[in-house]
């Protein structure tokens, strides 16, 4: 029973003040990027239903993750966080989910070897259904409709019916997250994560002659696995891995409805995911998102773009991690390859000088978005890698720990980002561009990135 989470229903006025107090303060603050639900009755019914559904994750798991992230903040572990920019309901199939989990596990093996450290495996999965947009509307052929905001809010199809903001989609997002998480748990606990199997899959990557430059590292990993085998390593015990779920906590109605009081600690946990992050567009210090997330026990991330000042970073630390608790706060920097070497050092120095210890993670995707000549939103693999290199250079020169990698990726053979050793060109977009939001690294590009980062980690 200790992990059981009761809905947020105060037993007495006294307990209400110690537990649920403040969880609704955000409602009177500016909340950027929120939907305008079209039907108040559907909205009320959906929130009520969500509030009584079981939690998707347990508080005990969330606490374990905080400990793991604390180790990473101290340079004793590395975080790998990856998945779609936006999950879709249609995309929640066994094939796509397993391909993504498999790719993350493959990347993690390579990174574990490169870092000689445990790798914390985390999907941008089972809840990444809401997106911030730069414009409220989209116009096509003279017709203007609300922009697509993720399957949790509206449909991608360009019709007035589909683009209306339908609160019942939050309930569908919950159920899709539950089935996704169920499959992830089955895979990662049921033998799919066996180190020998994952290592075998990586041999498929090496079979492509375009990847021959990674051969020596691949051979070293192969020798290491054989060495472990010769030493009598219990590979059966390595069949299970911890795998955590995360998403951007954008839609506050959804996050609030899934927040529960843990019966062990009497503290609120947002049970929609283990880890939640605040996006670059919703991180105002006096805004609703920062306030709400400051009140839940989950480890929290904040995306920091190139305009972030040292004062902004310190204010976020004071608000989100006032007790300076290791593992509580992760800064996910997304500066752009051309900015990172100039902008990141000042931020890291200010944070370090303040005595705070955060986990620094690089998101090399969001600062490097361009439009291809044939009109697709894309990213150059070389720019993405350059930002990762810049991230390592900056931390290595300051003596701080480059603690993680956050990528938009898929396990499928899509064509959305340009380049890579077996290069994707823009003509391939016509056939294999599937993302409804930002472009993702495909299976091979993701593995190639893991090999490149492993090389950088082994030197840092
Ligand atoms: C994202 O992670 O998909 C995203 C919108 O990022 P950011 O908040 O950094 O722009
Ligand atoms: Mn994105």
């Amino acid at each position: 029973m200790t992990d059981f989470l009761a809905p947020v229903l105060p037993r007495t006025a006294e307990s209400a003040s110690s537990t649920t107090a403040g969880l609704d303060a955000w409602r009177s603050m500016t909340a950027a990027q929120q939907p305008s639900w079209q039907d108040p009755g559907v909205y009320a019914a959906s929130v009520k239903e969500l509030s009584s559904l079981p939690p998707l994750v347990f508080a005990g798991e969330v606490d374990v993750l905080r400990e793991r992230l604390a180790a990473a903040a101290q340079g004793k572990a590395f975080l790998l966080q990856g998945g779609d920019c936006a999950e879709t309901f249609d995309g929640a199939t066994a094939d796509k989910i397993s391909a993504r989990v498999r790719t993350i596990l493959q990347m993690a093996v390579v990174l574990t070897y490169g870092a000689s450290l445990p790798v914390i495996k985390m999907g941008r999965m089972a809840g990444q259904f809401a997106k911030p947009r730069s414009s409220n509307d989209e116009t096509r052929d003279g017709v203007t409709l609300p922009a697509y905001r993720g399957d949790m809010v509206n449909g991608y199809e360009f019709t007035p019916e589909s683009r209306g903001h339908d609160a019942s989609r939050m309930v569908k997002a919950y159920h899709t997250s539950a089935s996704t998480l169920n499959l992830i748990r089955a895979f990662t606990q049921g033998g799919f994560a066996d180190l020998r199997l994952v290592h075998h899959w990586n041999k498929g990557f090496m079979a492509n002659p375009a990847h021959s430059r990674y051969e020596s590292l691949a051979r070293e990993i192969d020798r290491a696995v054989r060495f472990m085998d010769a030493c009598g390593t219990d590979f059966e015990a390595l069949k299970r891995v911890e795998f955590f779920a995360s998403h951007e906590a954008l839609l506050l109605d959804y996050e609030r409805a899934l927040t529960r009081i843990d019966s062990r600690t009497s503290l609120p946990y947002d049970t929609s995911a283990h880890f939640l992050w605040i996006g670059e567009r919703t991180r105002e210090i006096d805004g609703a998102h920062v306030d709400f997330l400051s009140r839940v026990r989950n480890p929290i991330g904040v995306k920091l773009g190139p305009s972030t000042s040292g004062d902004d970073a310190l204010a976020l630390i004071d608000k989100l991690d006032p007790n300076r608790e290791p593992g509580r706060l992760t800064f996910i920097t997304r500066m752009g390859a051309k900015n990172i070497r100039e902008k990141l050092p000042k931020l890291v120095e200010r944070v370090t000088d303040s005595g705070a210890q955060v986990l620094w993670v690089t998101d090399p995707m969001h600062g490097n978005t361009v439009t291809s000549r044939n009109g697709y939103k894309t990213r150059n693999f070389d720019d993405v890698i350059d930002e990762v290199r810049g991230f390592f250079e900056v931390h290595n020169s300051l003596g701080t720990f480059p603690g993680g990698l956050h990528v938009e990726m898929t396990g499928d053979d899509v064509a959305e980002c340009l380049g890579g050793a077996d290069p994707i060109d823009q003509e391939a977009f016509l056939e294999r561009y599937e993302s409804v939001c930002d472009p993702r690294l495909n299976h091979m590009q993701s593995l190639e990135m893991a090999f490149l980062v492993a090389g950088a980690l082994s030197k840092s």
Side-chain angles (χ1 to χ4, degrees):
M1 274 304 274
T2 50
D3 276 348
F4 184 75
L5 293 154
V8 181
L9 293 175
R11 282 164 298 226
T12 63
E14 199 183 10
S15 72
S17 65
S18 61
T19 55
T20 62
L23 281 179
D24 290 297
W26 63 272
R27 294 186 193 277
S28 59
M29 300 174 185
T30 306
Q33 301 280 346
Q34 299 307 288
S36 312
W37 301 119
Q38 48 191 7
D39 184 328
V42 172
Y43 169 72
S46 303
V47 168
K48 185 162 179 248
E49 188 173 350
L50 282 176
S51 306
S52 62
L53 284 165
L56 291 173
V57 302
F58 288 104
E61 299 173 319
V62 172
D63 291 338
V64 167
L65 175 62
R66 200 181 322 94
E67 284 167 28
R68 302 285 183 262
L69 295 174
Q74 290 156 9
K76 296 179 194 150
F78 188 80
L79 172 66
L80 171 63
Q81 190 179 11
D84 287 332
C85 176
E87 292 177 283
T88 60
F89 296 156
D90 286 349
T93 64
D95 284 351
K96 285 189 191 296
I97 294 166
S98 66
R100 223 173 312 141
V101 171
R102 179 173 146 156
T103 306
I104 293 172
L105 295 176
Q106 286 180 266
M107 294 173 78
V109 166
V110 178
L111 293 170
T112 305
Y113 181 81
S116 300
L117 289 173
V119 171
I120 305 159
K121 293 164 269 296
M122 193 189 281
R124 251 180 95 109
M125 293 176 79
Q128 181 58 18
F129 289 109
K131 295 306 302 171
R133 302 313 307 239
S134 36
S135 170
N136 280 334
D137 302 313
E138 181 183 346
T139 301
R140 287 191 202 172
D141 301 327
V143 180
T144 300
L145 291 174
Y148 172 63
R149 290 188 168 272
D151 276 12
M152 197 188 298
V153 176
N154 57 3
Y156 187 67
E157 201 194 340
F158 195 71
T159 62
E161 298 72 38
S162 148
R163 289 293 172 97
H165 295 180
D166 174 1
S168 74
R169 284 175 166 271
M170 288 193 287
V171 179
K172 183 150 186 200
Y174 168 90
H175 289 296
T176 311
S177 299
S179 56
T180 301
L181 205 49
N182 182 54
L183 198 58
I184 293 174
R185 291 189 195 277
F187 282 147
T188 54
Q189 299 304 309
F192 192 75
D194 188 321
L195 175 64
R196 290 162 301 184
L197 188 61
V198 177
H199 177 57
H200 176 72
W201 294 332
N202 276 352
K203 288 186 176 163
F205 172 80
M206 290 314 304
N208 183 338
H211 301 138
S212 58
R213 71 184 78 163
Y214 306 112
E215 205 170 300
S216 63
L217 184 51
R219 209 176 300 128
E220 280 178 44
I221 299 175
D222 193 49
R223 281 177 68 83
V225 173
R226 284 176 211 236
F227 175 70
M228 288 168 72
D229 202 8
C231 291
T233 300
D234 181 5
F235 281 103
E236 287 302 306
L238 296 177
K239 274 187 167 176
R240 292 161 190 267
V241 293
E242 284 179 345
F243 197 103
F244 299 98
S246 67
H247 62 259
E248 176 174 352
L250 185 69
L251 217 61
L252 292 172
D253 286 322
Y254 181 78
E255 304 305 335
R256 173 65 184 92
L258 284 171
T259 296
R260 307 279 191 273
I261 301 301
D262 173 29
S263 57
R264 300 166 311 163
T265 57
S266 301
L267 293 170
Y269 286 70
D270 183 342
T271 67
S272 70
H274 302 104
F275 178 91
L276 297 151
W277 77 85
I278 302 170
E280 163 74 359
R281 276 165 275 195
T282 52
R283 62 171 172 77
E284 300 78 39
I285 194 73
D286 298 322
H289 293 81
V290 170
D291 186 87
F292 178 70
L293 288 167
S294 74
R295 299 173 191 274
V296 296
R297 278 294 287 149
N298 307 57
I300 302 300
V302 186
K303 295 277 205 91
L304 301 180
S307 67
T308 315
S309 69
D311 287 346
D312 292 342
L314 294 192
L316 285 164
I317 294 172
D318 280 343
K319 177 96 189 182
L320 292 167
D321 184 22
N323 301 323
R324 304 292 192 265
E325 191 184 7
R328 162 70 176 172
L329 186 59
T330 297
F331 278 154
I332 307 168
T333 60
R334 29 88 86 220
M335 300 285 163
K338 59 181 184 315
N339 296 321
I340 185 153
R341 292 170 181 84
E342 184 207 331
K343 306 269 182 186
L344 186 60
K346 290 176 199 145
L347 223 47
V348 175
E349 276 171 334
R350 275 297 294 282
V351 171
T352 309
D353 289 349
S354 79
Q357 191 171 43
V358 301
L359 169 59
W360 292 101
V361 168
T362 178
D363 163 1
M365 313 298 292
H366 287 89
N368 296 305
T369 312
V370 291
T371 304
S372 67
R373 272 175 283 116
N374 61 353
Y376 287 81
K377 196 175 186 186
T378 189
R379 289 152 178 161
N380 285 297
F381 188 76
D382 287 348
D383 294 341
V384 169
I385 295 300
D386 190 32
E387 176 150 2
V388 178
R389 285 195 206 290
F391 176 76
F392 277 91
E393 282 165 28
V394 169
H395 283 287
N396 290 341
S397 73
L398 296 175
T400 44
F401 183 61
L405 176 66
H406 177 120
V407 275
E408 287 183 341
M409 46 71 66
T410 168
D412 302 326
D413 185 24
V414 301
E416 297 171 5
C417 291
L418 293 165
D422 190 2
I424 297 289
D425 59 26
Q426 61 170 3
E427 307 318 319
F429 294 166
L430 305 176
E431 300 288 328
R432 292 188 284 140
Y433 196 106
E434 292 179 14
S435 176
V436 290
C437 240
D438 289 340
R440 303 159 297 174
L441 299 177
N442 66 20
H443 176 68
M444 289 298 182
Q445 289 169 327
S446 302
L447 290 178
E448 185 174 359
M449 164 170 268
F451 273 94
L452 289 166
V453 175
L457 271 167
S458 61
K459 290 183 206 102
S460 76

